[in-house]
Amino acid sequence: MQTELKFDDNVIAKIVGITSSEVKGIHSMHGGMIANVADKLRKEDDPTKGVSVDTDDQHVTVNLDAVLRYGESAPDVFDRATKAIAKNVKDMTGMTVDGVTMTVKDMLTEDEIEAEEAKNNDDNDKK
């Protein structure tokens, strides 16, 4: 009997995105203009925003665009994210993460985060 378990890249990207959002120091993932417009049309954020993956057989390479909290050590956040991503991808799929690249798109202060959340709440109240 021949059997094969495969995963769509979007599934891997979702695991990576949700894992990344749970890492201390990462405020959010950063998508391009199209992702930002799509978010306005959705009721919830896209967990794959700011994440791209390349899969090859049982191996994964990850690229992240992240917004960090100001004051956090980017190398420490990157280390925590890399370890968490590798663990969760391996645990959920059996695939090995061969590489992670993170591009820090911004670092937001607490005041900027509060202003962003207030704006998002206002936008949601209008829907």
Side-chain angles (χ1 to χ4, degrees), residues 26-85:
I26 294 180
H27 169 63
S28 62
M29 301 308 288
H30 184 275
M33 185 170 38
I34 292 171
N36 292 336
V37 169
D39 275 351
K40 291 187 186 323
L41 301 175
R42 277 192 210 100
K43 294 202 185 299
E44 57 205 42
D45 285 343
D46 176 3
T48 65
K49 180 172 77 171
V51 177
S52 66
V53 298
D54 291 314
T55 57
D56 180 25
D57 194 28
Q58 290 294 305
H59 298 271
V60 180
T61 303
V62 176
N63 291 296
L64 306 171
D65 290 338
V67 176
L68 304 186
R69 292 180 176 275
Y70 182 83
E72 292 283 340
S73 165
D76 289 348
V77 172
F78 178 67
D79 187 52
R80 287 192 298 268
T82 300
K83 288 176 180 171
I85 289 165

Side-chain angles (χ1 to χ4, degrees), residues 104-122:
V104 178
K105 294 291 192 173
D106 202 352
M107 287 186 143
L108 297 182
T109 65
E110 288 304 316
D111 290 343
E112 289 172 315
I113 291 169
E114 286 175 19
E116 181 181 278
E117 289 171 353
K119 182 183 179 305
N120 288 341
N121 288 339
D122 287 347

